[in-house]
Amino acid sequence: MLFIYDFPHKKTQDFIFRLIVEGYKIGYCIAAPWKKLNIRNSSVRIDQKHVSLIHPRLICQKFKIKYLSADHNSTKTADFIKNNPIDLAIIAGARILSPKTIDACGGKVLNIHPGLLPDVRGLDTILWSIYYKKPLGISAHLITPKIDSGFLIYKEKLKLYKDDTFFDVTLRLLEQQTDALIKAIKILEKKEQKNLDDLSVQHTPYNTKMENNLEEDMFSKFNSWLKLFADE
């Protein structure tokens, strides 16, 4: 099953389509309605403006995937999951999941994090990676209630090029998460949770939304960061 958003969303759409193409059966999607978050707006634009996104409800109707619109941390969601057991839950669009929801999934919740865990946790992973001159990448893990912790399936660095722009990097980081999803599932088909590495995060900070003044400073660091990590 997939945790998704109940509105058009690039990662949600990419994950659904890729799973279908790869031959995996999606039993159902639980879609969280839009809500205003208490997070300040960025001072500069850091995301792409996407077009041709399809509402996930229409995608699920087309491929006969059961669709439930509900808050992911509601009793309605937990009860639905318990009554409709799954092999694996995948986060394709979600906010922080509660312990109750994770427990309803039997702890089998896969997340694709756009940062190299445990070093780069939390929000704005690309911004903090550039700001602190750390490599950028993707981590696949089974989650626990502690944010960005759990059991590491695998991680990979993002390929960078010397002529990349900031938006090249952000788009590639988004798209590579879909490839990472399939790689992670194939590893889980061969490995049990007890054989995965435990993500130790007690000595790594949780990054919050980057402050506006630091966002502008981050852009000034982009070219020097790229020279550090881009392929020749």
Side-chain angles (χ1 to χ4, degrees):
M1 63 82 70
L2 272 64
F3 290 106
I4 67 173
Y5 289 127
D6 196 15
F7 50 84
H9 184 259
K10 171 89 170 137
K11 184 172 177 178
T12 292
Q13 180 169 303
D14 288 352
F15 274 29
I16 293 175
F17 284 157
R18 185 61 179 274
L19 287 166
I20 291 171
V21 168
E22 295 285 346
Y24 290 103
K25 177 177 172 55
I26 303 174
Y28 55 90
C29 293
I30 301 182
W34 181 90
K35 69 177 179 180
K36 184 174 178 57
L37 303 178
N38 187 27
I39 298 177
R40 63 178 171 274
N41 293 325
S42 296
S43 60
V44 291
R45 187 165 71 86
I46 59 176
D47 295 318
Q48 307 88 3
K49 295 179 184 290
H50 299 294
V51 297
S52 300
L53 294 182
I54 306 169
H55 198 291
R57 184 185 294 275
L58 296 179
I59 299 173
C60 288
Q61 286 176 351
K62 174 66 176 179
F63 292 101
K64 295 180 173 54
I65 300 169
K66 190 180 298 184
Y67 190 94
L68 174 69
S69 179
D71 186 307
H72 288 157
N73 293 325
S74 65
T75 300
K76 179 180 181 181
T77 289
D79 289 345
F80 187 87
I81 295 171
K82 289 175 181 177
N83 292 326
N84 296 271
I86 42 87
D87 296 315
L88 182 68
I90 297 170
I91 296 177
R95 303 170 189 101
I96 303 301
L97 297 182
S98 68
K100 177 178 66 176
T101 299
I102 297 171
D103 183 65
C105 298
K108 299 176 293 185
V109 183
L110 169 62
N111 182 49
I112 308 298
H113 176 73
L116 293 174
L117 294 174
D119 295 331
V120 184
R121 302 170 56 220
L123 304 177
D124 285 346
T125 54
I126 184 170
L127 308 188
W128 290 113
S129 294
I130 294 170
Y131 187 82
Y132 287 118
K133 294 187 176 180
K134 293 185 175 183
L136 185 62
I138 294 168
S139 304
H141 65 117
L142 294 177
I143 71 171
T144 61
K146 188 174 181 64
I147 299 173
D148 292 335
S149 66
F151 301 92
L152 182 66
I153 301 169
Y154 95 110
K155 58 184 176 181
E156 62 185 27
K157 290 184 179 179
L158 184 73
K159 188 174 182 64
L160 299 171
Y161 301 91
K162 290 188 292 184
D163 61 348
D164 272 340
T165 66
F166 176 81
F167 287 104
D168 288 327
V169 176
T170 58
L171 181 59
R172 194 178 308 123
L173 183 68
L174 176 62
E175 292 179 339
Q176 193 165 327
Q177 290 179 61
T178 308
D179 286 338
L181 168 69
I182 302 304
K183 293 176 184 177
I185 292 174
K186 290 186 181 302
I187 291 172
L188 286 176
E189 288 172 343
K190 299 176 182 178
K191 276 190 175 184
E192 296 183 19
Q193 180 174 308
K194 64 182 180 181
N195 296 322
L196 300 176
D197 292 334
D198 192 354
L199 271 173
S200 178
V201 297
Q202 64 264 35
H203 300 301
T204 55
Y206 177 81
N207 293 313
T208 58
K209 176 72 178 172
M210 180 174 275
E211 294 85 352
N212 289 350
N213 63 310
L214 294 185
E215 288 177 342
E216 297 179 14
D217 194 18
M218 177 276 304
F219 272 107
S220 71
K221 297 175 184 289
F222 176 78
N223 287 333
S224 60
W225 171 82
L226 188 63
K227 288 179 180 178
L228 281 177
F229 299 109
D231 288 349
E232 295 296 332

